[in-house]
Amino acid sequence: MSMELDVPQQPHAGAMDWLLEVARGARLIVGGGLCAGALAVGLSYLVTPTFTSTTVLLPPAQASGGAQAALASLGALANLAGGGAARAPLDQYVALAMSTRVADRMIERFKLHEVYDETLRLDVRKQFWKNLRVGAGRRDGLITIEVDDHDPKRAADMAAGMVDEFRRVAAEIAVTEAQQRRVFFEDRVRETGQKLEAAQKALQDSGVSANSLKAEPRVAVEAYAKLRAELTNAQVRLQGLLATFAAQAPEVVQQRALVGELAGQLRQLESQAPKTEDGAYLSRYREFKYQEALFEQFSRQLELARIDEGREGGLVQVVDVAQVPEKKSRPGRAKIGMGVSVATGLFLLLWVMLRFQLRSRDVDGSIRAKLKAIWPAVWGRA
């Protein structure tokens, strides 16, 4: 014989029960949310306002027609001179503006150690980057720089300073194609100039005899210089191919064979030079003419690169100059008030619903009694 206990079953709460409970707690939900929002707005007046100054830049254009003509005349040298590089993408300019070099120069220029009250350079950089935003427009191709600061005048000055430091650093590292060619040819002109001076000195030290003048070295020297220039061009072309293809690629193998053939012809031509004093003079004379021809060619390309770099307008052009902001950008008190009110209201709504759920399931009050005993138990009082 079994005994069965009759446990009273509580009916499940329906939608109307939930709606009624929410209606009962409406005053708490709405009133609590409004009070919290008003308190947040009041506290926002204690926060120091932040001002934002904005400047808009136009990156440099593509290389001009003069640059393309210069690269076409270089042949294989174009790859090493930066001719194969396309216009620097906008992301590269954004990364350049956010670089450590620019940040350090801005820190020194505006004494941001004192402004941000930081000792370590790393912490000052982090604070500076936190107050700096650099964006690139994909459609219009413009770069926007925004600087935040508590002082509106300093915010405008820092935004303008970002343009100056950005231009300076970009000019130093040669971002554009014209700048890359200028740097390349400056190095070539300097190296070739030194070799030309050495060849000229060696030619002068050799002396000019009557027999040397009768030898008419011009024809032999021109042939030698032309062959040597072709060999130099082929060697540079081989370096460019090795940077792109594997050593076993057909293009590399063919170019290496051409370099070997030209080198053999050059050795043969050098071996045919007489081993007399006049032969030494001819050797020095053709070396001097070769370096002179290279120096003239590199000098012309350097001038073209400088002209194209000047046409780019100093790397960037300022579309919108940084202005002293008249209104603060943060804190937005209306957004703060609305956000806190909504968040508090949702929290109170959740609390009302959980309270109703607990009451509907805890008829005898045992669960609530245990919940009340949790806190004293944590402190060892239960």
Side-chain angles (χ1 to χ4, degrees):
M1 184 175 179
S2 60
M3 298 179 62
E4 296 181 359
L5 298 176
D6 294 334
V7 179
Q9 300 292 330
Q10 295 295 329
H12 293 288
M16 293 302 299
D17 297 325
W18 287 101
L19 182 60
L20 180 60
E21 186 66 21
V22 171
R24 289 172 179 169
R27 287 212 234 152
L28 174 65
I29 297 172
V30 176
L34 293 177
C35 291
L39 180 62
V41 171
L43 293 176
S44 66
Y45 282 94
L46 301 178
V47 179
T48 304
T50 300
F51 298 87
T52 302
S53 182
T54 305
T55 182
V56 180
L57 309 178
L58 177 64
Q62 197 89 15
S64 61
Q68 299 300 332
L71 294 177
S73 65
L74 284 178
L77 288 174
N79 291 332
L80 294 183
R87 175 186 175 181
L90 291 176
D91 292 339
Q92 186 175 1
Y93 289 114
V94 172
L96 183 63
M98 299 290 293
S99 64
T100 301
R101 187 184 300 187
V102 173
D104 288 343
R105 289 180 176 176
M106 290 291 292
I107 291 172
E108 296 296 334
R109 180 172 178 176
F110 293 95
K111 300 180 180 180
L112 297 183
H113 286 96
E114 302 175 3
V115 175
Y116 298 147
D117 193 19
E118 297 286 352
T119 304
L120 299 178
R121 176 62 65 92
L122 179 62
D123 296 333
V124 180
R125 285 198 204 106
K126 290 181 179 180
Q127 187 64 30
F128 172 73
W129 284 326
K130 181 180 179 181
N131 296 329
L132 174 67
R133 291 179 300 280
V134 182
R138 300 302 175 183
R139 293 185 178 181
D140 52 22
L142 300 177
I143 298 176
T144 303
I145 299 178
E146 296 180 343
V147 180
D148 295 337
D149 198 90
H150 297 313
D151 185 353
K153 179 64 169 56
R154 187 169 55 224
D157 292 341
M158 290 179 64
M162 276 295 300
V163 178
D164 298 336
E165 299 301 334
F166 178 43
R167 281 175 169 170
R168 178 182 172 189
V169 173
E172 292 174 352
I173 64 175
V175 175
T176 65
E177 183 269 341
Q179 288 177 316
Q180 292 173 1
R181 288 191 295 112
R182 173 183 57 78
V183 173
F184 175 81
F185 286 117
E186 282 178 346
D187 295 338
R188 301 291 81 76
V189 168
R190 181 172 58 255
E191 294 174 0
T192 308
Q194 295 174 355
K195 293 180 180 178
L196 179 59
E197 291 179 0
Q200 183 177 4
K201 186 177 184 303
L203 182 61
Q204 292 173 350
D205 294 341
S206 66
V208 181
S209 63
N211 294 330
S212 299
L213 293 176
K214 293 178 182 178
E216 290 291 340
R218 183 174 60 84
V219 177
V221 167
E222 288 180 353
Y224 174 83
K226 181 179 179 181
L227 182 60
R228 189 172 176 183
E230 291 180 357
L231 176 61
T232 303
N233 190 35
Q235 290 174 340
V236 173
R237 176 62 177 169
L238 178 60
Q239 294 177 7
L241 291 175
L242 288 174
T244 306
F245 301 99
Q248 296 79 16
E251 296 85 351
V252 177
V253 175
Q254 182 180 2
Q255 190 66 24
R256 185 179 287 114
L258 177 60
V259 171
E261 181 180 355
L262 293 175
Q265 295 178 9
L266 186 62
R267 286 193 299 268
Q268 182 180 2
L269 188 60
E270 291 175 346
S271 64
Q272 294 175 356
K275 304 303 181 181
T276 62
E277 180 181 354
D278 294 341
Y281 167 75
L282 292 177
S283 176
R284 295 176 182 180
Y285 180 72
R286 62 189 178 188
E287 174 67 19
F288 168 74
K289 297 299 290 184
Y290 168 70
Q291 296 297 337
E292 185 181 44
L294 281 182
F295 184 80
E296 292 178 356
Q297 182 181 14
F298 289 150
S299 297
R300 288 196 302 268
Q301 304 303 333
L302 176 59
E303 290 303 321
L304 289 174
R306 287 174 175 171
I307 292 174
D308 290 332
E309 183 181 9
R311 290 175 179 173
E312 290 178 348
L315 181 64
V316 293
Q317 302 178 59
V318 179
V319 178
D320 292 334
V321 180
Q323 302 288 338
V324 178
E326 299 178 353
K327 293 184 178 181
K328 62 178 179 60
S329 56
R330 292 195 305 269
R333 296 189 177 91
K335 293 182 179 179
I336 292 177
M338 293 180 60
V340 172
S341 297
V342 172
T344 304
L346 291 176
F347 174 78
L348 292 175
L349 174 62
L350 179 62
W351 183 79
V352 168
M353 298 176 70
L354 289 176
R355 185 184 61 178
F356 177 68
Q357 178 73 6
L358 179 62
R359 287 177 178 176
S360 62
R361 292 182 177 273
D362 186 26
V363 179
D364 56 358
S366 59
I367 298 178
R368 280 172 285 181
K370 293 178 180 179
L371 289 176
K372 292 180 180 179
I374 291 178
W375 186 251
V378 171
W379 292 96
R381 298 175 183 176

